[in-house]
Amino acid sequence: MKLAVLGSGKGSNLQSILDAVRDGRLTAELVCVLSDHADAYILERARAAGVPAEFVDCAPFKTKLEGPGEQRMIERLRHYGADFVALAGFMRIVKPGLLRAFPDRIVNIHPSLLPAFPGLHAWQQALFYGVRHTGCTVHYVDAGTDTGPIIAQRVVPIFDDDTPETLHARIQEQEHQAYPRALQAIAEGRLRRSGRRVLGLRE
Ligand code: GRF
């Protein structure tokens, strides 16, 4: 697997992927990390690990990856020889151009038990809704928002004294385990599809 990671923020999931590659738990080559924010900490984490890291201008849009920005992203992914893309806090909706360039080869991690609480600030949505458990989901990316076939999920309890911050931190602990494991299952070719169901992941 020649893996590219796309992110917009602090990159803690990227760090879990870097650590898993270093420790041999993920047999992938991390070929590049690309961000739509020039000052995103995810780029610094990549550079510190010796992975090529670039800002990709995704203008003129702010919340989607479409048009010239999408073309630039595809060009950089091809330049680095990526054959699989992991979104890790990439704050744009992916559009059909990128999906066609990497069919069934783009995954994402989302901080809730999908299909509950898609979209932004999912941990906050779960807390304010009042559910007693939430979690994280690794899923294939399709043309919807957080709607693709589910690969892996981890459950996280919600406590009475949780704040959005404490809950997000507890979810992220699970994300950092779930994402590298799901990627390794894909890298080993262990997963198969039956309709929407993704089979073959042993937790
Ligand atoms: C994570 O909570 C992930 O589920 C969501 O964005 C956040 C990214 O965090 N998609 P980080 O940048 O990996 O720390």
Side-chain angles (χ1 to χ4, degrees):
M1 176 186 270
K2 287 183 177 296
L3 179 65
V5 173
L6 270 51
S8 308
K10 66 184 197 295
S12 69
N13 279 287
L14 168 71
Q15 192 63 54
S16 74
I17 292 168
L18 287 167
D19 294 348
V21 170
R22 182 199 58 207
D23 298 347
R25 286 177 286 120
L26 174 54
T27 47
E29 182 190 350
L30 201 43
V31 295
C32 64
V33 173
L34 304 176
S35 180
D36 58 337
H37 283 86
D39 56 358
Y41 189 56
I42 194 170
L43 293 175
E44 284 185 42
R45 288 188 196 262
R47 290 182 188 121
V51 174
E54 275 186 32
F55 161 64
V56 178
D57 183 1
C58 295
F61 304 111
K62 292 206 183 323
T63 58
K64 60 182 179 179
L65 184 66
E66 198 168 31
E70 182 186 58
Q71 288 314 307
R72 280 190 286 274
M73 191 64 83
I74 293 169
E75 190 278 322
R76 295 324 283 159
L77 289 166
R78 296 231 157 95
H79 169 84
Y80 286 110
D83 63 19
F84 202 91
V85 178
L87 308 183
F90 186 64
M91 300 303 288
R92 284 173 187 267
I93 306 291
V94 168
K95 292 291 179 180
L98 186 69
L99 294 171
R100 272 196 303 269
F102 294 88
D104 284 324
R105 303 188 76 80
I106 306 177
V107 293
N108 181 43
I109 184 144
H110 182 80
S112 76
L113 292 175
L114 289 171
F117 311 119
L120 293 175
H121 306 304
W123 62 89
Q124 199 161 308
Q125 294 185 50
L127 185 65
F128 293 162
Y129 191 93
V131 293
R132 306 309 303 243
H133 292 85
T134 185
C136 64
T137 302
V138 181
H139 64 93
Y140 285 103
V141 175
D142 66 10
T145 301
D146 304 321
T147 52
I150 291 168
I151 300 168
Q153 293 188 304
R154 298 274 177 120
V155 177
V156 172
I158 298 181
F159 302 131
D160 287 355
D161 58 355
D162 262 326
T163 63
E165 292 72 30
T166 59
L167 179 56
H168 191 209
R170 195 175 316 114
I171 293 170
Q172 287 223 288
E173 283 176 27
Q174 295 303 313
E175 291 182 347
H176 299 158
Q177 295 180 34
Y179 213 2
R181 284 179 66 97
L183 288 167
Q184 178 63 10
I186 295 165
E188 289 177 11
R190 274 196 270 129
L191 302 187
R192 61 190 193 284
R193 291 270 288 272
S194 170
R196 274 193 60 91
R197 298 184 71 199
V198 180
L199 309 173
L201 188 81
R202 291 186 303 276
E203 285 283 7

